[in-house]
Amino acid sequence: MRQTIGQHCIQIISASAGSGKTYRLAELLEEEVRAKRARPDAILATTFTKKAAAELQERVRTRLLAAGLKTEAQQLFASRIGTVNSVCGSLLTDFAFDLGISPDQKVLEEKAVSGAINRALARVVDKAATQELLALERRFPGTESRKMIETIIAKARANGLSGDELLQSGEKSIAGFEELFGNVIVDQKSGQLEKKLVCAINTFLKNIDPEFDTTKTTRDAVTLVNKLKTRIEQQKELPWAEWLRLARLKNRG
């Protein structure tokens, strides 16, 4: 697909793994350099891995040398061919003063990123908020609040959101969820919902006559509510998935 923006033409080639992308890129770059449409030292190409970047640069150099373009092959060492992080990092460093930031820039390793996030969270997430996040994870097994926070941070950075804009985005998200959920129960003291659920379970069991209703559906329902009642009495919060199971319960009557 080709798209023209001003005097520039952007060509997008969609290709699956192993289809020869690196070979085609090397061939294309050699053609552009040979035709004097591109300077070797002005080439910018990004890859996902260091190995792929090194392979691309070596293939282009090999083709240039085979074509007798020794000077151009040497100039290729001044090009920006590397991973997204390394290329963008070098651009950021080179133009740091123009951007009004320190030229001492580096890409953080994964452990360093984790440490930076921990320090940031320690400054803004108090004990009460931590307890809320832990309660959320108990209510929704498989949910990892830390990963959710990291995802939000990554998306906010990718979209260039400021702190205030991120807060506004959060408020919009909350409003949207509340519209989907309908009437939201607020200001419930800890354990109040579970206490009301136990009362409802007791009423349900009181109205069941196991001698009269001997269907498997009813037996399964009684087994489930007794099991969940025990969990609540052991002061264990029920995941919302269990609440949903209770809402869908049926008995013969």
Side-chain angles (χ1 to χ4, degrees):
M1 179 179 73
R2 287 179 178 269
Q3 181 178 359
T4 302
I5 300 178
Q7 297 178 343
H8 304 282
C9 181
I10 297 176
Q11 183 175 5
I12 299 175
I13 302 174
S14 178
S16 58
S19 58
K21 294 187 295 296
T22 304
Y23 178 86
R24 175 57 184 142
L25 283 173
E27 183 181 55
L28 179 63
L29 290 174
E30 182 218 337
E31 291 173 358
E32 295 298 307
V33 171
R34 186 200 293 265
K36 306 296 183 183
R37 289 190 294 266
R39 299 196 329 268
D41 57 320
I43 291 174
L44 187 153
T46 62
T47 62
F48 288 108
T49 66
K50 294 178 181 178
K51 181 180 178 181
E55 181 182 0
L56 176 59
Q57 186 177 61
E58 185 57 33
R59 286 194 182 187
V60 177
R61 283 191 70 250
T62 300
R63 295 183 72 95
L64 292 175
L65 289 172
L69 302 174
K70 296 181 180 180
T71 301
E72 287 79 357
Q74 185 66 26
Q75 292 173 337
L76 190 67
F77 285 115
S79 66
R80 298 181 191 273
I81 299 178
T83 62
V84 175
N85 280 344
S86 65
V87 170
C88 292
S90 66
L91 288 171
L92 190 60
T93 300
D94 290 348
F95 296 97
F97 285 112
D98 302 81
L99 297 171
I101 61 177
S102 170
D104 184 18
Q105 302 289 328
K106 66 177 181 178
V107 177
L108 294 178
E109 298 295 334
E110 187 174 345
K111 289 184 179 180
V113 171
S114 180
I117 292 176
N118 284 338
R119 291 190 293 273
L121 292 178
R123 291 195 297 268
V124 297
V125 180
D126 57 19
K127 184 177 180 180
T130 299
Q131 292 301 321
E132 286 187 27
L133 292 174
L134 291 175
L136 175 67
E137 292 180 0
R138 291 194 296 269
R139 290 292 192 187
F140 296 92
T143 298
E144 296 183 39
S145 56
R146 171 56 185 266
K147 286 189 176 180
M148 293 172 61
I149 291 172
E150 290 181 359
T151 299
I152 292 172
I153 292 173
K155 290 187 180 297
R157 293 183 62 193
N159 288 279
L161 295 182
S162 65
D164 290 338
E165 290 171 332
L166 183 57
L167 286 175
Q168 293 174 7
S169 177
E171 291 170 358
K172 289 181 181 179
S173 295
I174 292 172
F177 274 117
E178 288 181 346
E179 289 180 5
L180 291 174
F181 292 148
N183 296 325
V184 180
I185 300 175
V186 296
D187 298 329
Q188 283 283 356
K189 294 182 179 179
S190 178
Q192 284 295 99
L193 286 176
E194 278 75 10
K195 290 178 181 178
K196 290 183 178 181
L197 179 58
V198 169
C199 290
I201 288 175
N202 288 334
T203 300
F204 170 78
L205 294 173
K206 184 179 179 180
N207 292 326
I208 292 293
D209 184 350
E211 294 184 0
F212 173 74
D213 188 347
T214 59
T215 62
K216 183 178 184 302
T217 299
T218 298
R219 288 200 308 272
D220 290 345
V222 171
T223 299
L224 176 62
V225 295
N226 275 317
K227 175 183 176 182
L228 298 183
K229 179 183 176 183
T230 300
R231 288 185 60 180
I232 296 172
E233 291 172 343
Q234 292 174 348
Q235 297 185 337
K236 295 180 180 179
E237 293 179 343
L238 292 185
W240 287 121
E242 299 292 1
W243 286 76
L244 184 59
R245 289 180 66 189
L246 287 173
R248 292 174 174 173
L249 277 182
K250 295 180 181 179
N251 67 299
R252 195 192 71 171

